[in-house]
Amino acid sequence: MLPKLHLMFQVEIIDSVPMSHNTLLSALPAQAVVREVGLRDGLQSIATVLPTERKCAWIADAFAAGQREIEVGSFVPPRLLPQLADTAEVLAFAKTLPGLTASVLVPNLKGAERALDGDADLMILPLSASHAHSLANLRKTPDDVVDEMRRIRAARDASGKQTLIEGGVGTAFGCTIQGEVKHSEVLRLMQALLDAGADRVSLADTVGYADPVAVSRLFEQALKIAGDRFCCGHFHDTRGLALANVFAALQLGVARFDASLAGIGGCPHAPGASGNAASEDLAEVPAARGVDTGIDLPALLALRQKVVGWLAGEPTSGTLWRAGLPKTMAAVAA
Ligand code: ZN
């Protein structure tokens, strides 16, 4: 019985520490955004082509469940990603929802021009910090992508549109082709994107190599470089660490995270890689610590069930749907 008593004693001590003295939680933001990327990162990695009406129904339900930022697709050539060929139509629908920030991924200037035509609220230019991954994925070096950012910024400014530009530095924690990616190279490229005209930047663990300590170290440096212009963390759950990584970034005050409903997705260049952290699971992490996400979790869980039904046979993940919300949280919500 002694070990148990000892444990109880420890719990009591921890509980008695005032919140303001608890450095682990001191930088938690008051609010956090769960940016839905399942319609892009998720759907691009699976064989099923979801009809446009269902994508729009997904967006409408996600909006009704409180999600206010959704990546609706990608302006890549349809022959490369037939799953996302209807991005312009889906974006047009998303733009009808008041207060929704509709973003699209753009691989180059051509894609950016389509995003500007469609009045996207935000376009994200991905840059792979891994030289080898960049060549395999985009057929460009990372510094070529920085040049493309410069052209995209000039096009945006000339268009007079309000579309924001985000530079997303991917393979920030390593990659399946090259292996190690140095933090110094990630940070150099992040600074280069800002200098080339990105309104904001984000970091992505494209293949799921990060762990919470690596996240703390790299994100701390990134925040020093980009300050308020650092906007988002993007974690894949390949090794089951996505939510732990989210929490590590949340502790530094990072307040926006990409997530894919039901954890749909993977990476074409990372065999066996899992999708993003599941949106419904990720939303519970800040909520459990009192950080407001604006998300109605039961509604998001109902949407999960609907979308999983549409994607029969495709791999999905996530844990919250199995057990439901913890009773402690249900009490807080009521
Ligand atoms: Zn991703």
Side-chain angles (χ1 to χ4, degrees), residues 192-204:
L193 284 172
L194 288 166
D195 293 344
D199 296 304
R200 56 200 221 180
V201 286
S202 55
L203 282 176

Side-chain angles (χ1 to χ4, degrees), residues 61-330:
D61 281 11
F63 183 76
Q67 287 193 286
R68 289 293 176 271
E69 299 195 18
I70 302 180
E71 196 168 300
V72 301
S74 179
F75 281 124
V76 291
R79 69 185 158 78
L80 293 181
L81 284 179
Q83 302 96 318
L84 306 183
D86 58 356
T87 293
E89 290 113 287
V90 179
L91 174 60
F93 170 76
K95 290 290 297 174
T96 66
L97 298 171
L100 177 68
T101 296
S103 59
V104 288
L105 191 128
V106 298
N108 50 31
L109 176 62
K110 226 174 185 171
E113 284 166 349
R114 296 186 67 196
L116 291 167
D117 282 348
D119 284 314
D121 297 297
L122 168 72
M123 53 184 164
I124 300 157
L125 177 71
L127 176 152
S128 198
S130 154
H131 203 270
H133 186 273
S134 186
L135 289 175
N137 215 16
L138 297 165
R139 296 202 194 102
K140 285 178 189 156
T141 67
D143 287 285
D144 290 340
V145 177
V146 172
D147 290 339
E148 198 74 359
M149 173 61 82
R150 211 166 278 119
R151 288 187 278 272
I152 288 173
R153 173 62 188 253
R156 194 277 307 271
D157 290 351
S159 75
K161 300 279 176 107
Q162 301 295 311
T163 308
L164 285 172
I165 312 170
E166 178 175 322
V169 183
T171 60
F173 295 89
C175 111
T176 48
I177 306 169
Q178 180 176 309
E180 189 190 7
V181 175
K182 291 214 174 335
H183 284 192
S184 56
E185 178 67 352
V186 173
L187 297 167
R188 178 186 76 80
L189 289 162
M190 171 175 282
Q191 181 69 65
L193 284 172
L194 288 166
D195 293 344
D199 296 304
R200 56 200 221 180
V201 286
S202 55
L203 282 176
D205 179 23
T206 311
V207 297
Y209 278 10
D211 63 67
V213 173
V215 169
S216 295
R217 285 181 181 151
L218 183 59
F219 275 55
E220 196 168 23
Q221 293 299 313
L223 285 163
K224 274 185 196 152
I225 287 174
D228 288 348
R229 293 164 80 193
F230 184 85
C231 74
C232 191
H234 175 112
F235 299 104
H236 282 258
D237 201 34
T238 312
R239 298 188 302 132
L241 287 171
L243 295 185
N245 294 334
V246 164
F247 197 72
L250 199 65
Q251 281 173 324
L252 295 170
V254 175
R256 183 181 286 98
F257 298 95
D258 285 347
S260 176
L261 193 70
I264 301 158
C267 175
H269 297 285
S274 301
N276 288 90
S279 307
E280 63 280 11
D281 291 1
L282 198 158
E284 196 250 6
V285 172
R289 293 270 61 87
V291 177
D292 179 27
T293 64
I295 289 177
D296 175 346
L297 275 170
L300 199 60
L301 285 167
L303 176 57
R304 177 206 155 93
Q305 200 174 2
K306 189 192 267 189
V307 172
V308 166
W310 291 339
L311 300 175
E314 299 290 1
T316 55
S317 62
T319 53
L320 194 63
W321 67 278
R322 281 197 289 254
L325 287 173
K327 265 196 171 163
T328 44
M329 276 192 68

